[in-house]
Each structure stands twice: as C-alpha cells, then as structure tokens.
Amino acid sequence: MTTKTETIQLTTAQAIIRWLANQFIEIDGQEHRLCGGGFGIFGHGNVTCLGEALNAVHQELPLYRGQNEQSMGFAAAGYAKTWLRQRFMFCTASAGPGTANLVTSAALAHANRLPMLLLCGDTFLTRLPDPVLQQLENYNDPTFGVNDAFKPVTRYWDRITHPAQIIQSLPAAIATMLDPADCGPAFLGLPQDVQGWTYDYPTVFFEKKVHRIRRQAPDVAEIADAVACLSQAKRPMIIAGGGVQYSGAVTELTQFAETHQIPVVETIAGRANLLSTHALNIGPIGVTGSDSANAIAEKADVILAVGTRLQDFTTGSWTAFAQDAQFISVNAARHDAGKHMSLPVVGDAKLGLTALSAALDYMAPADWVSLAQDERKSWDAYVADNTSIGNRPNSYAQAIGVVNDLVDPRDRVVAAAGGLPAEVTANWRTLDIGTVDVEFGFSCMGYEIAGAWGARIAQAQREPERDTITFCGDGSYMLMNSDIYSSVLSGKKLIVMVLDNGGFAVINKLQNNTGNESFNNLYADCPTIAEPFAVDFVAHASAMGATAEKVANPTELGEAFKRAQASDKTYVIVMDVDPYEGWTTEGHTWWEVGTPHVTEDENVRAAHLDWESSREKQRRGV
C-alpha cells in the first residue's frame, strides 16, 4: 500500500497529465475516465513539456489534433453536452494567439454551464527572456497578460507559478466542473518554464479516484412553500430546461407532470425532455417557440421552472407571462432559483421533483389541461404544413421536416446560430429523449460543425451506430468549417446540412422588421461587393475529404440524406433556401432589441413605435 510519505519526481506537466489519467466517474453502473481526452494545437508554449507528457498517455487520454483553437473549444463543449456534463475534454493551446482564440469557446461553455478544462501556455515566470514571442507587454503590470482575459469567462482560474500548486489546483478545478451549480470551464495558465520544473509529488496524489456528482437535497421549508403555492394554482405550467437532462430527471419530470396533470413546455436547452407525442408536451416556449406554449404561458398563474436560467428567448424578454404569475424555480444554482421573485427550491431537479410530488396532493383542472392540449394540436397542424414540401420556396423548415422523417430516433441533431436554432426548435419533432442540441446559451456561429464533431466523438463511445446531424447556415460554414476535415481525419462521421441563403439572412430579417433597409447582411446588399457570387460548398467540403453533393429541392435532399446515412464518412449536403420567404412565421413572442429612438427614416420610426408598444407586457423583475 502506498504511504503518504512516498514521492515521485515529475515535471509539472507530467504530474498534471498523470493525475488527469487517474480520475474516473461512475455512470449507469460503469466506470469511465472522467476526462475523455483532449483537443490540442501545439506551439512553443505547450509542445515541449505538455506535449511530452501527453504523448506518454496518448492511449488513455487521446489527443485530437485541432485545426482552430476556437473550434477545439466548441468540440469540447459538444462532447460535454452529449455526456450530460458527466465527462469533459481538455483543450491545450500555445501562449499568445493560440490561447486567445479559446476565449470565445470558454464564454460558450460558461454561458451553457458546461465543463471544459483549458491547459494554456503562459509567459516565463522568471521573466528572464522577456519579452518573448507572442507576449503582450503591459507596462504598468507585468503579471497582466492574455490569460487574464479568461477570468470573466471561466468558473475557475489559476496560474501555476510553482509545481506544488497543482496538488490543490487540479482537484479544485475538477470540483468546479462537476458541481451542478457552478459547472463551467476551468482555466490553468501554465508558464513555459514552470511546465518543465520538477517536484517530488506525494505518490498517493496519483492514485485512482472515482468521482460522483453531488445531488443537493432541497430545503424542507422551500418545498413546503412551493407545495402551498402549487396547491392553489388554477392554471399551472411547467417550464422544463436543460438542467432536467443534466440531473437525469426526465423520468421524474414525466411522472410529476402525469401525476398532477400539469402541462409542460420546453426551453431551447430543454428540447427533447419529452417526446413530441407526449400528451402533456405543449411545445417549445418563447421567441423561438410555439403558439401553443406561448398561449398557455400568458394565461398561467403558477409556473414551475425546472432547471432553466430563464434566458430572454425563453421568457420573451419577460413578456411571455402574466404580470401576476407566480414562479417557483427548482434549480441547483441559487443564482437561477430566485429570479423574478420566484419561490426558490434550491437543489437537484431529480430530488426536488420527487420531494414536491410526494408532498403535493393536487391535479390541475381538466379544462386547463384540455385547453393546452388543443393548442398543441393546432401547433402540430401548423408544423405539418410548415415543413411540407412545395408549400413555398425552399426553406429551413422543409429541410428540417425531410430529415426528421428519415432519422433514427437516437440520432443526434445539432444547431447553433443564425436562423436555424429557431427553425429547429419550432419544427423538430422529438423522437427520443436527449437527442437535440441547439446551442443557444451563447448562440455561437461555428459551433455547428465543431460542436457536432465533439458530440460525435462522445456519441461514438456509447452509440457508434447512430448519426450526428448538424444544420449549418452558409454564414456559419464560412466562419468555421475546418472540422469537416477533422471529422474525416479522425473517422468521426458527420452529416452536415449546409443551407445557403446568401449571407446572414436572419439578421437581414431582423433589420427589415425594425424598419431598416437591407444592408451588409446578404451578399446582394453589401455596397462593397461589386459582383456577388455563391461559394461552391460542394467543392470546398470535398477538398477536405468529405463526400458532398448539392440538391435542388427538399425531395432531392431526402434522397441525398439516405445516401449520407449509408456512407461511412462525413457527408455534406448543400441546398439553397429562400432568404425572404423561408421562415417560420408563427410561434414567436416579443423580444427586446434596441431600436433608434430618434431617426429621420419614417419606416424605422414606425417600427420603433410598433416594437415599443409591446413593452407594457414586460415584467419588471417581479
């Protein structure tokens, strides 16, 4: 048996990686390495020491070579989301611009409450060679550099200035990433000299450890307050967020709703909490929601919000609900549980719903449930028509409907930025639990392909026979597409749907809806472009090793999708969609955007007055 006095001499980098390789977690009765490996691009700031350490354990912690540091972070986020935050990947980048490229990825993980470990190079602690290549010099504070930019976008931040620090810092970083309330990215800045310095580490530090994610039981008094409120409800509603899935509380949510006959609506992150055919699933709520969910939201008197941070797209900038509606928020994070004077139930969703149900002797009025279900039937009819082929020019909704009809129920669907998150949220019919990833916490362009690559790496570890399908607009494709190449190189097949509407069409729509003329969004409306032309996405994707084809219409898309399903490598399908007539026009709530209060343009002035006319519905924090 190892004693606490035994030591082993290792470099800082070697110790970090050895410790990571010995962290495990139990999931559904099976042990897995907590860290699934990592994504890395080497430079002078991480190749010599951290690279040496990683090479020694490349079987235990596989390192995927990235093409872009930002997309590596997106892939790590997609991986963590697919594993429901129970496993994570690390990202390593060199000092300077490589590390700076990860700031956006860290922000995405922070906004979405996703675990990600960032192991980033830093300037020399001794400062003897200063200024070094790619170093930013701050004249009045030599300790202040690029890595400090991560402080507001990470949940845990440390700069390792001595090898012994990691004995405290690594467990603290892991504890943060596994905490249901504080979950998010952890950052370790690794000065280039410190990475190679040695220390006599206690051998017991590297012994195998099996982690468990904490389940915080709710306070008895908070449960009692919530039960008293729900018992008096005449028109109750449940908002089910992404936290339901992270808690593993889908069964408890379903049983709670069925036992008490309370209608359920889903947030964007909470899509696929219930099957689309469930009798109490009234649809997605909010700006990118459904008429059915929004219709009952404005009438509900008591709203049980479970595992949601109540983002503005969920709440319609807080216009989606009655002014006097009472919220009850079940959330592991105290910060989220008290929003808008909610009755807070701080704790795990699974335990919270179980405790609430056991103490609640109540069923919602039958006429309220019937009204909600009638609204859902009307919405289903709208979606069926909206996604039908030939009802208008090529549209996002038609493409979504075609794919929805052909996928396996366990296939995973990914979307992120532009118009597609709204279209997927509104039109996708959930076929199985936990199969939809619409990244709208940060709505980050570029996540579509990179996040899907990370999701596919995770999916291949549990359901290798299934597909990961990503819906990507032409704008997002142009921003970040190199992980098509990554997916082919790594043998992690994706099906990429590239829907080309000639630019940033959804922002053009917002521009027009606020009275502004089209300007600088569609290529056709850019004064600096003399002769707009389309990108040959098929040739581009083919050049990265994917199979690719372009189709003319949704019928051809369906046939191409079948070929993609049969393929053993990444398959890209391109279809043009109409930038003006291709939108889902129903299901939206008001959304607050800043419009000009003074303008000489009458159209802009009229749109401003019209937009502001809905502000009277906005709840003011209570």
Side-chain angles (χ1 to χ4, degrees):
M1 181 176 179
T2 304
T3 67
K4 291 187 177 180
T5 58
E6 291 182 29
T7 62
I8 181 172
Q9 188 177 71
L10 298 168
T11 69
T12 304
Q14 291 164 356
I16 290 171
I17 300 308
R18 179 176 292 207
W19 187 86
L20 276 179
N22 284 291
Q23 306 307 301
F24 291 79
I25 189 167
E26 184 178 304
I27 302 172
D28 299 330
Q30 291 187 326
E31 280 188 7
H32 302 265
R33 271 198 171 78
L34 179 60
C35 179
F39 299 96
I41 294 178
F42 288 139
H44 64 88
N46 64 343
V47 67
T48 55
C49 296
L50 198 64
E52 184 265 350
L54 285 167
N55 188 34
V57 295
H58 67 267
Q59 295 292 338
E60 296 89 344
L61 297 175
L63 184 67
Y64 291 88
R65 184 195 178 283
Q67 318 304 325
N68 177 299
E69 290 88 358
Q70 181 174 309
S71 75
M72 291 190 329
F74 291 166
Y79 181 93
K81 191 179 284 192
T82 304
W83 272 104
L84 297 176
R85 307 198 307 193
Q86 297 168 306
R87 300 183 74 197
F88 68 87
M89 299 282 269
F90 67 82
C91 295
T92 179
S94 185
T99 285
N101 283 344
L102 279 166
V103 171
T104 301
S105 311
L108 179 142
H110 190 289
N112 286 280
R113 321 286 171 89
L114 294 171
M116 175 196 304
L117 180 61
L118 303 169
L119 302 174
C120 296
D122 208 333
T123 53
F124 288 84
L125 189 69
T126 64
R127 300 185 195 159
L128 292 175
D130 281 10
V132 298
L133 179 67
Q134 298 176 324
Q135 178 180 345
L136 296 183
E137 294 182 89
N138 286 282
Y139 305 148
N140 300 317
D141 184 354
T143 69
F144 192 61
V146 167
N147 288 1
D148 293 273
F150 286 86
K151 289 180 178 178
V153 294
T154 54
R155 295 283 190 172
Y156 182 87
W157 188 97
D158 198 4
R159 176 178 282 121
I160 305 303
T161 58
H162 189 280
Q165 279 179 235
I166 68 167
I167 298 173
Q168 184 275 336
S169 191
L170 281 173
I174 296 298
T176 300
M177 290 190 286
L178 292 183
D179 188 276
D182 293 339
C183 184
F187 179 92
L188 296 182
L190 304 174
Q192 295 169 60
D193 45 3
V194 177
Q195 288 182 45
W197 291 356
T198 61
Y199 185 74
D200 292 333
Y201 291 96
T203 308
V204 294
F205 180 61
F206 303 103
E207 289 183 349
K208 177 180 177 180
K209 179 176 176 58
V210 180
H211 295 264
R212 294 177 180 83
I213 295 177
R214 179 182 301 107
R215 287 193 182 276
Q216 180 179 337
D219 181 80
V220 173
E222 291 184 347
I223 289 290
D225 288 344
V227 167
C229 181
L230 270 171
S231 297
Q232 303 302 312
K234 296 179 175 61
R235 299 175 302 280
M237 180 184 80
I238 299 169
I239 301 178
V244 172
Q245 291 180 40
Y246 294 142
S247 172
V250 168
T251 298
E252 287 70 22
L253 169 73
T254 306
Q255 290 175 345
F256 184 92
E258 291 174 350
T259 299
H260 305 290
Q261 284 295 289
I262 300 178
V264 179
V265 302
E266 295 179 325
T267 69
I268 299 171
R271 290 291 272 112
N273 277 324
L274 295 177
L275 299 185
S276 63
T277 54
H278 193 284
L280 290 170
N281 183 352
I282 310 304
I285 188 173
V287 179
T288 59
S290 58
D291 286 344
S292 50
N294 291 329
I296 69 166
E298 66 181 13
K299 297 180 179 70
D301 60 347
V302 176
I303 298 162
L304 177 62
V306 185
T308 171
R309 64 193 184 103
L310 296 172
Q311 181 221 36
D312 67 336
F313 262 60
T314 296
T315 67
S317 299
W318 289 102
T319 62
F321 314 105
Q323 294 281 354
D324 58 353
Q326 175 63 56
F327 277 79
I328 303 167
S329 290
V330 179
N331 206 294
R334 170 194 54 80
H335 175 82
D336 294 317
K339 288 175 180 173
H340 274 242
M341 295 186 69
S342 291
L343 292 176
V345 179
V346 179
D348 175 68
K350 189 185 189 81
L351 299 182
L353 287 170
T354 300
L356 274 175
S357 192
L360 183 63
D361 182 16
Y362 169 85
M363 289 182 67
D367 59 345
W368 167 245
V369 178
S370 179
L371 182 149
Q373 290 171 333
D374 287 344
E375 292 284 357
R376 178 60 197 251
K377 289 176 185 175
S378 297
W379 178 252
D380 286 343
Y382 171 78
V383 170
D385 178 68
N386 194 42
T387 57
S388 63
I389 296 174
N391 61 356
R392 62 187 186 281
N394 289 356
S395 69
Y396 283 161
Q398 292 167 354
I400 290 165
V402 168
V403 174
N404 210 166
D405 286 339
L406 294 173
V407 295
D408 183 275
R410 289 301 307 161
D411 287 346
R412 188 168 185 82
V413 177
V414 178
L420 277 163
E423 297 292 325
V424 170
T425 299
N427 294 291
W428 187 265
R429 293 169 289 105
T430 300
L431 305 176
D432 209 340
I433 301 301
T435 54
V436 179
D437 174 7
V438 177
E439 191 290 292
F440 221 61
F442 209 51
S443 185
C444 214
M445 291 176 65
Y447 179 85
E448 294 89 344
I449 295 172
W453 180 42
R456 177 57 193 154
I457 292 171
Q459 183 190 48
Q461 294 169 343
R462 303 185 88 175
E463 300 176 290
E465 71 284 358
R466 299 278 59 89
D467 281 315
T468 295
I469 301 131
T470 183
F471 288 96
C472 185
D474 57 299
S476 284
Y477 183 101
M478 291 299 292
L479 181 95
M480 192 169 291
N481 53 62
S482 58
D483 285 317
I484 290 176
Y485 183 49
S486 302
S487 71
V488 177
L489 284 174
S490 60
K492 298 298 185 283
K493 172 197 168 184
L494 302 175
I495 299 178
V496 182
M497 313 294 299
V498 181
L499 302 177
D500 184 356
N501 55 24
F504 303 140
V506 72
I507 299 301
N508 180 71
K509 180 164 75 85
L510 175 61
Q511 194 171 46
N512 294 162
N513 288 347
T514 54
N516 289 280
E517 294 181 359
S518 295
F519 169 60
N520 205 54
N521 285 310
L522 299 178
Y523 293 115
D525 301 319
C526 294
T528 54
I529 298 176
E531 296 184 23
F533 64 92
V535 173
D536 188 342
F537 292 111
V538 171
H540 188 270
S542 299
M544 289 189 285
T547 302
E549 63 174 294
K550 185 168 185 177
V551 299
N553 53 57
T555 300
E556 290 185 10
L557 184 147
E559 295 305 311
F561 189 79
K562 293 174 187 176
R563 291 189 285 273
Q565 289 175 306
S567 176
D568 60 358
K569 72 172 182 177
T570 293
Y571 205 106
V572 178
I573 303 171
V574 182
M575 186 177 80
D576 293 340
V577 295
D578 192 280
Y580 305 105
E581 302 300 324
W583 303 105
T584 296
T585 56
E586 301 295 327
H588 310 308
T589 60
W590 188 73
W591 181 42
E592 181 166 5
V593 294
T595 55
H597 287 227
V598 176
T599 177
E600 294 181 0
D601 189 316
E602 284 303 313
N603 291 330
V604 174
R605 181 176 180 277
H608 167 71
L609 294 174
D610 180 63
W611 210 279
E612 288 296 308
S613 67
S614 294
R615 186 177 294 280
E616 63 183 22
K617 298 169 61 178
Q618 191 174 43
R619 291 164 61 105
R620 301 184 182 183
V622 296

